[in-house]
Amino acid sequence: MAKQLRRVRTLGRGASGAVVWLASDDDSGELMAVKSASAGGAAAQLRREGRVLSGLCSPHIVPCLGSRAAAGGEYQLFLEFAPGGSLADEAARNGGCLPEPAIRAYAADVARGLAYLHGNSLVHGDVKARNVVIGSDGRARLTDFGCARVIDSSGPIGGTPAFMAPEVARG
């Protein structure tokens, strides 16, 4: 990605130290989300996430548009911008609850995304309302693949403890 990007605003921050910000391409005006991490472990984790995303193509997964190593060892992933924000944001905008038809539609989108991942021998590892975003078409898409891993992998299981199954949290 050789585009000249302008930072518009911060969209979120992850526990790993990654920051997600809204960027505008100076030439085209196109908006995208940029997930960036400084040098070190966080950048290595973001590179791994980029490798996972580069092999995925589903309307229920946020597309990765590319990546680059930036100045000072920072690493950046370029993701499709989801103007609806996260599912947690959508619930907050609606007083903490959503109408049943919306819940049904979002749940179906998430289930289809998970079925796609599982069909590709991947586990997301951190499904929660903050990691589901709403695209410009109104459909829910899975994002944040920092904890994703291959099914039956012997590697450590990551995720947000409050959203883990009890047996996973216990190790």
Side-chain angles (χ1 to χ4, degrees), residues 15-36:
S16 67
V19 176
V20 181
W21 43 281
L22 178 62
S24 173
D25 178 333
D26 281 346
D27 293 333
S28 69
E30 175 189 15
L31 295 175
M32 68 182 68
V34 179
K35 187 171 185 179
S36 62

Side-chain angles (χ1 to χ4, degrees), residues 10-96:
T10 300
L11 298 172
R13 296 178 191 282
S16 67
V19 176
V20 181
W21 43 281
L22 178 62
S24 173
D25 178 333
D26 281 346
D27 293 333
S28 69
E30 175 189 15
L31 295 175
M32 68 182 68
V34 179
K35 187 171 185 179
S36 62
S38 56
Q45 183 177 354
L46 199 55
R47 276 190 175 83
R48 185 184 152 288
E49 182 176 347
R51 285 192 300 275
V52 169
L53 280 170
S54 69
L56 302 177
C57 181
S58 165
H60 306 291
I61 307 292
V62 170
C64 182
L65 307 173
S67 62
R68 73 178 172 196
E74 180 184 38
Y75 190 75
Q76 299 174 334
L77 279 183
F78 303 103
L79 307 166
E80 182 176 286
F81 174 58
S86 74
L87 196 51
D89 296 333
E90 178 71 1
R93 282 191 295 269
N94 287 281

